[in-house]
Amino acid sequence: MKRSFALALAALFLFLLSVNSFSAQRKAEYGAGELFVSEDGLWRCEITGESSVSLYSGIMNLSAYNGDETVVKVPSKIDGYTLVSIGKYAFCDCERIVNIVLPDTVKEIGLGAFNNCPSLLQVVIPESVTKIDENIFDEQTSVKIASVKGSAAQVYAKNHGIQFVEIGTSSKAKTGWKNVSGCWFYYNEDGSMQFGWKKIKGKWYYFDDSGIMKTGWKHLSGEWYFFDSTGAMQTGWKSIAKKWYFFNSGGKMRTGWLASGGKWYYLKSDGAMATGWQKVKDVWYFFNSKGAMLTGWQKISNKWYYLDSGGKMLTGRQVIDGKVYYFDSQGRWIKLDKDSQKIVYITKTGNKYHYDPTCGNREYYTSTLSDALRRGLTPCEKCVHA
């Protein structure tokens, strides 16, 4: 027993010694004034001091950003080190960046930090920043600074003729919804501006690269979505500009065939619900005023048509419920009574029958109407209904 306890105690001592040795090695590896690249490869940083003697502790200066995202949320800690300043030219030549959000641990922004960023529209600067170099931008006239009222960032924007977007007057005011010049923004619990998708109280919203809540139609990742006047993403049936659309549970606009409520609908290439006659892959279908596909016998514009169980409009000779019916090329039922023995004119190889023997100036042979229909011929629209 004593021997086992002694071995365990020795093992614990060796473990603690190795931890202290590794900690000392880590701190020695990243000394003050030295550079290192973060484990994810996105950040190159300079150690400026230590906040404690714990493993991976310390403070640092952001030296450069190596990523290619359009919206960059700078973390407050990188590999365990607290970020306190944005160094000289940290984001210089980052041509794709549209929006940058700095954490509330940052206190200083250095010279040319955002130079030559042609796509940059907005930088969110926290109220923790108290020192900003005279020239953090070059000639980017379209860029905006977003911060709280009374911050150093607001003073900087005013002194340098840069448009300022107010996002509150205190740390508490930076959370939740904020309306600025008629545009809605949303700030998370950490005070960061929301970009992209966000679920708020059970509803989905989308915020663009400037943080503005979107309404109306929005094309995202190859799919169409619709957001109502409150910004909420729509699902299910939705009437927009007097046309009906259907959005699935994920908000994506549907096209093509749709089964809903035990009925079939067809949504055209632009997503609008079809009504009336609609040709789909060379087949004619009919949809009522509510968009439901019809089947069976249908009287449309005082003409009778037959639509099979799949909605397809029938033409030619058809057997329906054990009886023979004839439909012309436009699907209209041809009622055979005394006209069934009427003389029509056909050609040897043609697929039409004619009432006028001079139609087309061709050589015709006589036939009865009923015989022409049995052979599957359809009427010539030029002379049959003349």
Side-chain angles (χ1 to χ4, degrees), residues 26-37 44-50 57-63 81 84-85:
R26 179 72 182 189
K27 287 184 287 183
E29 180 183 355
Y30 295 144
E34 293 191 24
L35 297 176
F36 77 94
V37 177
R44 188 167 73 250
C45 309
E46 178 186 4
I47 303 299
T48 60
E50 290 189 36
S57 68
I59 56 176
M60 66 189 177
N61 166 67
L62 178 59
S63 175
Y81 289 86
V84 295
S85 64

mmCIF file of all heavy atoms in Angstrom, residues 26-37 44-50 57-63 81 84-85:
data_model
loop_
_atom_site.group_PDB
_atom_site.id
_atom_site.type_symbol
_atom_site.label_atom_id
_atom_site.label_comp_id
_atom_site.label_asym_id
_atom_site.label_seq_id
_atom_site.Cartn_x
_atom_site.Cartn_y
_atom_site.Cartn_z
ATOM 1 N N ARG A 26 6.528 27.912 -23.256
ATOM 2 C CA ARG A 26 5.572 28.649 -24.079
ATOM 3 C C ARG A 26 5.797 30.156 -23.949
ATOM 4 O O ARG A 26 5.835 30.879 -24.926
ATOM 5 C CB ARG A 26 4.141 28.292 -23.641
ATOM 6 C CG ARG A 26 3.042 29.018 -24.424
ATOM 7 C CD ARG A 26 2.929 28.479 -25.825
ATOM 8 N NE ARG A 26 1.921 29.198 -26.579
ATOM 9 C CZ ARG A 26 1.489 28.842 -27.779
ATOM 10 N NH1 ARG A 26 1.975 27.785 -28.358
ATOM 11 N NH2 ARG A 26 0.583 29.552 -28.400
ATOM 12 N N LYS A 27 5.938 30.618 -22.715
ATOM 13 C CA LYS A 27 6.158 32.048 -22.488
ATOM 14 C C LYS A 27 7.488 32.489 -23.074
ATOM 15 O O LYS A 27 7.629 33.600 -23.580
ATOM 16 C CB LYS A 27 6.095 32.348 -20.985
ATOM 17 C CG LYS A 27 4.682 32.286 -20.421
ATOM 18 C CD LYS A 27 4.628 32.689 -18.973
ATOM 19 C CE LYS A 27 5.218 31.598 -18.110
ATOM 20 N NZ LYS A 27 5.111 31.918 -16.667
ATOM 21 N N ALA A 28 8.466 31.620 -22.996
ATOM 22 C CA ALA A 28 9.768 31.959 -23.570
ATOM 23 C C ALA A 28 9.685 32.019 -25.089
ATOM 24 O O ALA A 28 10.336 32.837 -25.737
ATOM 25 C CB ALA A 28 10.804 30.927 -23.131
ATOM 26 N N GLU A 29 8.835 31.126 -25.645
ATOM 27 C CA GLU A 29 8.688 31.078 -27.107
ATOM 28 C C GLU A 29 8.093 32.377 -27.649
ATOM 29 O O GLU A 29 8.517 32.888 -28.678
ATOM 30 C CB GLU A 29 7.767 29.903 -27.483
ATOM 31 C CG GLU A 29 7.548 29.768 -28.972
ATOM 32 C CD GLU A 29 6.576 28.639 -29.284
ATOM 33 O OE1 GLU A 29 6.155 27.922 -28.348
ATOM 34 O OE2 GLU A 29 6.244 28.498 -30.468
ATOM 35 N N TYR A 30 7.087 32.924 -26.972
ATOM 36 C CA TYR A 30 6.440 34.154 -27.393
ATOM 37 C C TYR A 30 6.750 35.264 -26.398
ATOM 38 O O TYR A 30 5.944 35.590 -25.529
ATOM 39 C CB TYR A 30 4.925 33.962 -27.508
ATOM 40 C CG TYR A 30 4.516 33.000 -28.586
ATOM 41 C CD1 TYR A 30 3.431 32.150 -28.408
ATOM 42 C CD2 TYR A 30 5.216 32.942 -29.790
ATOM 43 C CE1 TYR A 30 3.066 31.254 -29.396
ATOM 44 C CE2 TYR A 30 4.853 32.053 -30.781
ATOM 45 C CZ TYR A 30 3.784 31.213 -30.580
ATOM 46 O OH TYR A 30 3.415 30.340 -31.572
ATOM 47 N N GLY A 31 7.895 35.839 -26.501
ATOM 48 C CA GLY A 31 8.287 36.921 -25.616
ATOM 49 C C GLY A 31 7.807 38.246 -26.121
ATOM 50 O O GLY A 31 7.376 38.388 -27.268
ATOM 51 N N ALA A 32 7.872 39.270 -25.272
ATOM 52 C CA ALA A 32 7.428 40.610 -25.640
ATOM 53 C C ALA A 32 8.166 41.085 -26.889
ATOM 54 O O ALA A 32 9.386 40.943 -27.010
ATOM 55 C CB ALA A 32 7.668 41.566 -24.475
ATOM 56 N N GLY A 33 7.402 41.646 -27.811
ATOM 57 C CA GLY A 33 7.970 42.174 -29.040
ATOM 58 C C GLY A 33 8.125 41.157 -30.152
ATOM 59 O O GLY A 33 8.443 41.513 -31.291
ATOM 60 N N GLU A 34 7.854 39.870 -29.878
ATOM 61 C CA GLU A 34 7.998 38.838 -30.899
ATOM 62 C C GLU A 34 6.677 38.599 -31.622
ATOM 63 O O GLU A 34 5.597 38.844 -31.098
ATOM 64 C CB GLU A 34 8.505 37.543 -30.264
ATOM 65 C CG GLU A 34 9.921 37.647 -29.733
ATOM 66 C CD GLU A 34 10.473 36.281 -29.363
ATOM 67 O OE1 GLU A 34 9.977 35.288 -29.925
ATOM 68 O OE2 GLU A 34 11.378 36.223 -28.529
ATOM 69 N N LEU A 35 6.767 38.088 -32.857
ATOM 70 C CA LEU A 35 5.589 37.802 -33.686
ATOM 71 C C LEU A 35 5.284 36.316 -33.685
ATOM 72 O O LEU A 35 6.194 35.487 -33.553
ATOM 73 C CB LEU A 35 5.827 38.254 -35.127
ATOM 74 C CG LEU A 35 6.055 39.744 -35.373
ATOM 75 C CD1 LEU A 35 6.367 39.977 -36.843
ATOM 76 C CD2 LEU A 35 4.835 40.540 -34.963
ATOM 77 N N PHE A 36 4.010 35.988 -33.812
ATOM 78 C CA PHE A 36 3.640 34.594 -34.052
ATOM 79 C C PHE A 36 2.359 34.561 -34.878
ATOM 80 O O PHE A 36 1.591 35.527 -34.910
ATOM 81 C CB PHE A 36 3.459 33.839 -32.724
ATOM 82 C CG PHE A 36 2.177 34.126 -31.997
ATOM 83 C CD1 PHE A 36 1.060 33.306 -32.168
ATOM 84 C CD2 PHE A 36 2.065 35.208 -31.127
ATOM 85 C CE1 PHE A 36 -0.121 33.566 -31.489
ATOM 86 C CE2 PHE A 36 0.893 35.465 -30.451
ATOM 87 C CZ PHE A 36 -0.207 34.644 -30.631
ATOM 88 N N VAL A 37 2.126 33.449 -35.561
ATOM 89 C CA VAL A 37 0.915 33.245 -36.361
ATOM 90 C C VAL A 37 -0.020 32.341 -35.577
ATOM 91 O O VAL A 37 0.404 31.324 -35.017
ATOM 92 C CB VAL A 37 1.250 32.601 -37.731
ATOM 93 C CG1 VAL A 37 -0.023 32.319 -38.515
ATOM 94 C CG2 VAL A 37 2.167 33.522 -38.527
ATOM 95 N N ARG A 44 -1.592 37.191 -37.538
ATOM 96 C CA ARG A 44 -0.185 37.311 -37.172
ATOM 97 C C ARG A 44 -0.103 38.369 -36.071
ATOM 98 O O ARG A 44 -0.554 39.504 -36.266
ATOM 99 C CB ARG A 44 0.667 37.711 -38.375
ATOM 100 C CG ARG A 44 2.164 37.650 -38.077
ATOM 101 C CD ARG A 44 3.036 37.729 -39.312
ATOM 102 N NE ARG A 44 3.064 39.081 -39.870
ATOM 103 C CZ ARG A 44 2.498 39.441 -41.012
ATOM 104 N NH1 ARG A 44 1.813 38.533 -41.698
ATOM 105 N NH2 ARG A 44 2.586 40.681 -41.470
ATOM 106 N N CYS A 45 0.457 38.022 -34.951
ATOM 107 C CA CYS A 45 0.356 38.873 -33.773
ATOM 108 C C CYS A 45 1.720 39.166 -33.152
ATOM 109 O O CYS A 45 2.675 38.407 -33.312
ATOM 110 C CB CYS A 45 -0.524 38.201 -32.710
ATOM 111 S SG CYS A 45 -2.108 37.631 -33.345
ATOM 112 N N GLU A 46 1.763 40.257 -32.407
ATOM 113 C CA GLU A 46 2.973 40.660 -31.697
ATOM 114 C C GLU A 46 2.683 40.713 -30.204
ATOM 115 O O GLU A 46 1.746 41.388 -29.765
ATOM 116 C CB GLU A 46 3.435 42.043 -32.170
ATOM 117 C CG GLU A 46 4.671 42.553 -31.439
ATOM 118 C CD GLU A 46 5.009 43.984 -31.836
ATOM 119 O OE1 GLU A 46 4.236 44.583 -32.625
ATOM 120 O OE2 GLU A 46 6.020 44.496 -31.340
ATOM 121 N N ILE A 47 3.480 40.016 -29.427
ATOM 122 C CA ILE A 47 3.302 40.018 -27.981
ATOM 123 C C ILE A 47 3.782 41.359 -27.424
ATOM 124 O O ILE A 47 4.882 41.818 -27.725
ATOM 125 C CB ILE A 47 4.089 38.872 -27.322
ATOM 126 C CG1 ILE A 47 3.652 37.528 -27.910
ATOM 127 C CG2 ILE A 47 3.895 38.890 -25.798
ATOM 128 C CD1 ILE A 47 2.199 37.209 -27.710
ATOM 129 N N THR A 48 2.947 41.992 -26.593
ATOM 130 C CA THR A 48 3.308 43.289 -26.022
ATOM 131 C C THR A 48 3.435 43.250 -24.510
ATOM 132 O O THR A 48 3.829 44.229 -23.892
ATOM 133 C CB THR A 48 2.266 44.354 -26.411
ATOM 134 O OG1 THR A 48 0.987 43.951 -25.920
ATOM 135 C CG2 THR A 48 2.205 44.526 -27.916
ATOM 136 N N GLY A 49 3.032 42.138 -23.876
ATOM 137 C CA GLY A 49 3.132 42.032 -22.414
ATOM 138 C C GLY A 49 2.374 40.826 -21.925
ATOM 139 O O GLY A 49 1.897 40.008 -22.710
ATOM 140 N N GLU A 50 2.263 40.672 -20.620
ATOM 141 C CA GLU A 50 1.537 39.549 -20.022
ATOM 142 C C GLU A 50 0.562 40.062 -18.976
ATOM 143 O O GLU A 50 0.897 40.944 -18.190
ATOM 144 C CB GLU A 50 2.504 38.570 -19.355
ATOM 145 C CG GLU A 50 3.348 37.791 -20.344
ATOM 146 C CD GLU A 50 4.132 36.682 -19.655
ATOM 147 O OE1 GLU A 50 3.593 36.086 -18.700
ATOM 148 O OE2 GLU A 50 5.263 36.435 -20.076
ATOM 149 N N SER A 57 -1.323 32.998 -21.342
ATOM 150 C CA SER A 57 -1.832 34.321 -21.001
ATOM 151 C C SER A 57 -1.030 35.395 -21.713
ATOM 152 O O SER A 57 0.002 35.123 -22.317
ATOM 153 C CB SER A 57 -1.740 34.549 -19.491
ATOM 154 O OG SER A 57 -0.380 34.631 -19.110
ATOM 155 N N GLY A 58 -1.489 36.628 -21.623
ATOM 156 C CA GLY A 58 -0.746 37.737 -22.200
ATOM 157 C C GLY A 58 -1.626 38.655 -23.004
ATOM 158 O O GLY A 58 -2.809 38.403 -23.203
ATOM 159 N N ILE A 59 -1.064 39.762 -23.440
ATOM 160 C CA ILE A 59 -1.774 40.685 -24.320
ATOM 161 C C ILE A 59 -0.940 40.876 -25.570
ATOM 162 O O ILE A 59 0.253 40.631 -25.584
ATOM 163 C CB ILE A 59 -2.028 42.047 -23.630
ATOM 164 C CG1 ILE A 59 -0.707 42.652 -23.150
ATOM 165 C CG2 ILE A 59 -3.009 41.905 -22.495
ATOM 166 C CD1 ILE A 59 -0.873 44.031 -22.557
ATOM 167 N N MET A 60 -1.582 41.300 -26.658
ATOM 168 C CA MET A 60 -0.840 41.388 -27.902
ATOM 169 C C MET A 60 -1.417 42.437 -28.825
ATOM 170 O O MET A 60 -2.511 42.951 -28.644
ATOM 171 C CB MET A 60 -0.850 40.034 -28.600
ATOM 172 C CG MET A 60 -2.210 39.631 -29.048
ATOM 173 S SD MET A 60 -2.260 37.953 -29.614
ATOM 174 C CE MET A 60 -4.007 37.845 -29.972
ATOM 175 N N ASN A 61 -0.666 42.697 -29.860
ATOM 176 C CA ASN A 61 -1.036 43.644 -30.900
ATOM 177 C C ASN A 61 -1.294 42.865 -32.183
ATOM 178 O O ASN A 61 -0.505 41.984 -32.538
ATOM 179 C CB ASN A 61 0.131 44.633 -31.111
ATOM 180 C CG ASN A 61 -0.023 45.430 -32.388
ATOM 181 O OD1 ASN A 61 -0.924 46.238 -32.499
ATOM 182 N ND2 ASN A 61 0.859 45.193 -33.339
ATOM 183 N N LEU A 62 -2.432 43.154 -32.859
ATOM 184 C CA LEU A 62 -2.715 42.483 -34.120
ATOM 185 C C LEU A 62 -1.833 43.078 -35.208
ATOM 186 O O LEU A 62 -1.897 44.263 -35.509
ATOM 187 C CB LEU A 62 -4.194 42.651 -34.503
ATOM 188 C CG LEU A 62 -4.598 42.027 -35.849
ATOM 189 C CD1 LEU A 62 -4.322 40.534 -35.839
ATOM 190 C CD2 LEU A 62 -6.066 42.290 -36.126
ATOM 191 N N SER A 63 -0.990 42.242 -35.785
ATOM 192 C CA SER A 63 -0.037 42.706 -36.792
ATOM 193 C C SER A 63 -0.566 42.570 -38.210
ATOM 194 O O SER A 63 -0.321 43.413 -39.061
ATOM 195 C CB SER A 63 1.271 41.919 -36.657
ATOM 196 O OG SER A 63 2.178 42.252 -37.680
ATOM 197 N N TYR A 81 -4.409 34.719 -25.964
ATOM 198 C CA TYR A 81 -3.903 36.061 -25.700
ATOM 199 C C TYR A 81 -5.003 37.087 -25.951
ATOM 200 O O TYR A 81 -5.738 36.994 -26.938
ATOM 201 C CB TYR A 81 -2.708 36.370 -26.599
ATOM 202 C CG TYR A 81 -1.454 35.604 -26.244
ATOM 203 C CD1 TYR A 81 -1.233 34.332 -26.742
ATOM 204 C CD2 TYR A 81 -0.506 36.164 -25.400
ATOM 205 C CE1 TYR A 81 -0.084 33.628 -26.414
ATOM 206 C CE2 TYR A 81 0.652 35.465 -25.061
ATOM 207 C CZ TYR A 81 0.862 34.198 -25.570
ATOM 208 O OH TYR A 81 1.990 33.513 -25.243
ATOM 209 N N VAL A 84 -5.428 43.772 -27.628
ATOM 210 C CA VAL A 84 -5.604 45.110 -27.072
ATOM 211 C C VAL A 84 -5.403 46.221 -28.094
ATOM 212 O O VAL A 84 -5.776 47.364 -27.834
ATOM 213 C CB VAL A 84 -4.646 45.344 -25.871
ATOM 214 C CG1 VAL A 84 -4.983 44.417 -24.726
ATOM 215 C CG2 VAL A 84 -3.193 45.174 -26.301
ATOM 216 N N SER A 85 -4.817 45.913 -29.238
ATOM 217 C CA SER A 85 -4.626 46.976 -30.236
ATOM 218 C C SER A 85 -4.585 46.401 -31.646
ATOM 219 O O SER A 85 -4.256 45.224 -31.851
ATOM 220 C CB SER A 85 -3.326 47.749 -29.960
ATOM 221 O OG SER A 85 -2.203 46.900 -30.105
#
